[in-house]
């Protein structure tokens, strides 16, 4: 498999956070997120974003997520997508997000 073929296997999409709340059962501080991916529907994610974001700041925000990695149970919560981020200088997660409005469900290429 070539690197390009490997990249094409990963399905990265843009979605909008419609709901966020603390995942109080998680071992590491995290939020439960519900994300609207337009034609793909709404999907849930548990994301370790508590260092830089409040639930109120997350609602309405566009995020990039891997949508085809399968589901995982995290502290009793089913996480269906992996929200993407990068570490800042202190190791806190900074979200990857589009620089402007784009249609929900759009695929990263």
């Amino acid at each position: 498999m070539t690197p390009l073929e490997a990249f094409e296997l990963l399905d990265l999409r843009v979605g909008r956070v419609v709901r966020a709340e603390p995942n109080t059962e998680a071992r590491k501080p995290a939020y439960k997120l519900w994300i609207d991916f337009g034609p793909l529907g709404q999907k849930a994610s548990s994301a370790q974003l508590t260092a830089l974001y409040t639930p109120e700041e997350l609602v309405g925000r566009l995020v990039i997520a891997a949508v085809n990695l399968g589901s995982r149970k995290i502290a009793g919560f089913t996480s269906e997508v992996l929200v993407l981020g990068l570490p800042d200088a202190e190791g806190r997660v900074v979200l990857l997000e589009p620089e402007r409005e784009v249609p929900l469900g759009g695929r990263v290429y």
Side-chain angles (χ1 to χ4, degrees):
M1 178 180 299
T2 69
L4 181 58
E5 289 170 332
F7 177 76
E8 289 174 345
L9 290 176
L10 190 57
D11 192 0
L12 303 177
R13 303 285 181 137
V14 63
R16 185 178 309 281
V17 177
V18 294
R19 184 173 156 206
E21 63 186 50
N23 188 348
T24 57
E25 303 300 318
R27 283 183 283 137
K28 294 182 181 178
Y31 293 128
K32 296 177 185 178
L33 304 178
W34 289 266
I35 305 166
D36 179 7
F37 289 95
L40 299 176
Q42 187 171 293
K43 307 221 179 258
S45 182
S46 181
Q48 296 175 3
L49 304 171
T50 60
L52 294 178
Y53 305 95
T54 66
E56 296 79 19
E57 290 172 322
L58 291 169
V59 172
R61 187 180 293 263
L62 291 175
V63 295
I64 305 296
V67 299
N68 67 335
L69 300 178
S71 298
R72 285 184 58 194
K73 276 278 199 212
I74 299 174
F77 180 72
T78 301
S79 186
E80 303 169 286
V81 300
L82 176 65
V83 174
L84 301 180
L86 299 161
D88 69 5
E90 287 81 41
R92 301 170 299 189
V93 179
V94 176
L95 285 170
L96 286 182
E97 59 185 330
E99 55 127 0
R100 63 186 65 181
E101 284 292 318
V102 294
L104 299 180
R107 187 169 184 172
V108 174
Y109 58 83

